[in-house]
Amino acid sequence: MPLQLRSDLTALTGYHSPQVAADVRLNTNESPYPPPPGFFEALQRALHEMPLHRYPDRHTVRLREAIAHHEGVPPASVFPANGSNEIIQTLLLAFGGPGRTACVFTPSYTMHTHIAQTVLTPVVEVKRRADFLVGGDLVAATVAKLAPSIMFFCHPNNPTGLAEDEPAVRAALDLDDMLVVVDEAYGEFLGTSWAQEAVRRENLAVCRTFSKAWGIPALRLGYLLGSPAWTGLLDQVHLPYHLNAFSQVAGMLSFDFVDEMRARVATLTSERDRLYDALAARSDLTVWPSLSNFLLFRPVCDAETLWRGLLEHGILVRNFASRPGIENCLRVTVGTPAENSRFLSALAAVLSAVKPATAKPGFDVSSPDSLGSSAVCDEQL
Ligand SMILES: *Cc1c(COP(=O)(O)O)cnc(C)c1O
């Protein structure tokens, strides 16, 4: 008999972002620009000197110091790992588990839910308000009803694009015995951060990544910022030598190219605004404002049809046609100016060819206010 997956995992569907071949890939929120040539040269030199026959620095001392310097926090507040996904997994291994519920406000980054489930942490999903924010009242109601041990925020939120509202995060932080996780994967585009607060508070974990603005998702590197009162506890659960020497060095060298990173962010931000204006000017779709490097939009026509039409023009965007809370939506990552222009002309071509009459019944496509109520839903997923 073939091996059977752990029974509680069979209903999980994995990470749904099909890696379909396409000329223009605007589906996974990567930077369209690699780091500058100087970064590759420095990395090559470092590789030549790397003692590959030895295990890497188990405590990632030099990388922690470099991150601490960049963030203006003490090194003991920093924990680097293989992308922010490993940070989230490590946090859940240490502070989640059976009997400790994690709460996520949907729609949001589905990996928070997925990783929690794989490490046997019960998850409750609570719908965001119609404006996609959470708000202090919903946090209070959720805590009163469900008493979670861990609460996830995403600042700015993927896939909706806006910053988390401060009253919601503050309401969560005021509950001293609940761990509050703020995922800042797109923090470089936003400009505000909970990082300094994470060092002062004893219940806040901020996750950041090199996968988006820094442009090195291939190297799998992210870091956590939190209070030295508990960051050392993570050593109980991560694998020994969890972070390879090459990634450690790549992270350190990245900080020699901060200006180039900021220039990429500036270009992408102005391209995002150009894309937003072009989408907002159309009457056949609704687009949400964004403080990140992607835009969520809902066409009047069937989103699945539009998604396929764009793919036929060589353009791959993220398909959320059947994602609860953002039904019939697509998400486009900001690319290079040429890629964005190609996206806009393909969009215009496909939309003029499809009939708006193909709109699905069952929801009102006319306004963002049609996104369901903010009632607490306490299904166990
Ligand atoms: C892309 C993304 C990440 C990145 O994960 P890595 O493991 O660091 O590559 C984390 N959180 C959110 C919300 C994201 O969109």
Side-chain angles (χ1 to χ4, degrees):
M1 189 164 92
L3 289 178
Q4 302 289 309
L5 187 65
R6 217 173 75 201
S7 62
D8 60 309
L9 295 181
T10 49
L12 302 189
T13 39
Y15 186 50
H16 272 310
S17 191
Q19 291 199 310
V20 184
D23 268 9
V24 179
R25 285 170 42 194
L26 305 176
N27 65 326
T28 43
N29 295 346
E30 294 143 310
S31 161
Y33 303 108
F39 173 80
F40 287 89
E41 287 153 21
L43 199 54
Q44 260 166 17
R45 280 195 299 276
L47 178 60
H48 282 297
E49 290 157 18
M50 212 172 275
L52 295 182
H53 59 302
R54 299 291 183 192
Y55 280 102
D57 175 7
R58 185 167 175 166
H59 298 291
T60 64
V61 173
R62 291 181 62 209
L63 175 60
R64 275 179 205 238
E65 283 169 2
I67 294 168
H69 180 74
H70 174 74
E71 293 283 352
V73 302
S77 285
V78 179
F79 172 74
N82 294 281
S84 36
N85 281 304
E86 192 186 31
I87 306 279
I88 291 159
Q89 187 188 53
T90 306
L91 284 169
L92 286 161
L93 284 170
F95 303 115
R100 294 182 172 193
T101 300
C103 166
V104 301
F105 293 101
T106 58
S108 190
Y109 186 51
T110 51
M111 289 309 291
H112 297 155
T113 300
H114 184 89
I115 297 170
Q117 288 169 321
T118 62
V119 300
L120 300 172
T121 302
V123 183
V124 289
E125 293 195 328
V126 176
K127 254 196 237 165
R128 287 169 183 266
R129 302 187 323 209
D131 60 4
F132 290 143
L133 299 183
V134 177
D137 291 349
L138 187 53
V139 169
T142 303
V143 169
K145 187 162 180 191
L146 305 165
S149 303
I150 305 174
M151 185 171 274
F152 283 94
F153 291 94
C154 196
H155 183 70
N157 187 42
N158 175 15
T160 55
L162 283 181
E164 296 285 21
D165 59 299
E166 187 165 344
V169 180
R170 291 234 172 265
L173 284 175
D174 286 343
L175 300 155
D176 291 331
D177 55 352
M178 181 175 74
L179 173 65
V180 179
V181 181
V182 179
D183 185 332
E184 294 190 351
Y186 305 93
E188 291 82 1
F189 296 95
L190 183 62
T192 66
S193 171
W194 289 88
Q196 290 300 325
E197 197 112 6
V199 178
R200 287 197 299 272
R201 294 262 184 178
E202 295 206 354
N203 63 335
L204 173 59
V206 167
C207 311
R208 313 204 78 177
T209 182
F210 285 84
S211 296
K212 304 287 158 59
W214 288 102
I216 50 170
L219 298 182
R220 310 303 305 124
L221 187 61
Y223 55 93
L224 167 136
L225 302 169
S227 166
W230 58 263
T231 48
L233 300 176
L234 301 175
D235 290 339
Q236 299 285 335
V237 295
H238 70 76
L239 296 174
Y241 311 108
H242 69 293
L243 195 56
N244 76 72
F246 193 73
S247 296
Q248 291 191 36
V249 165
M252 286 161 54
L253 292 174
S254 291
F255 295 123
D256 293 338
F257 300 89
V258 175
D259 292 345
E260 289 86 343
M261 183 276 283
R262 296 210 172 112
R264 289 197 295 279
V265 168
T267 306
L268 292 171
T269 304
S270 82
E271 276 297 298
R272 175 198 68 210
D273 293 343
R274 178 170 79 92
L275 272 181
Y276 176 84
D277 291 344
L279 295 181
R282 300 194 65 98
S283 59
D284 47 10
L285 57 79
T286 303
V287 60
W288 280 269
S290 165
L291 294 168
S292 40
N293 66 335
F294 54 83
L295 290 163
L296 185 73
F297 63 97
R298 171 182 282 157
V300 171
C301 70
D302 176 49
E304 192 77 40
T305 308
L306 175 57
W307 183 81
R308 282 187 200 290
L310 289 171
L311 198 56
E312 278 160 24
H313 283 75
I315 290 157
L316 179 61
V317 298
R318 187 70 192 271
N319 184 353
F320 289 128
S322 51
R323 170 79 71 85
I326 46 171
E327 289 88 354
N328 214 52
C329 285
L330 302 178
R331 186 195 66 196
V332 61
T333 304
V334 180
T336 62
E339 289 173 335
N340 300 332
S341 297
R342 245 186 96 173
F343 162 74
L344 288 174
S345 10
L347 182 78
V350 178
L351 285 176
S352 69
V354 294
K355 287 198 295 286
T358 56
K360 280 186 194 155
F363 60 89
D364 172 12
V365 293
S366 60
S367 93
D369 296 335
S370 60
L371 285 168
S373 76
S374 56
V376 173
C377 87
D378 55 0
E379 307 160 49
Q380 300 265 324
L381 294 170

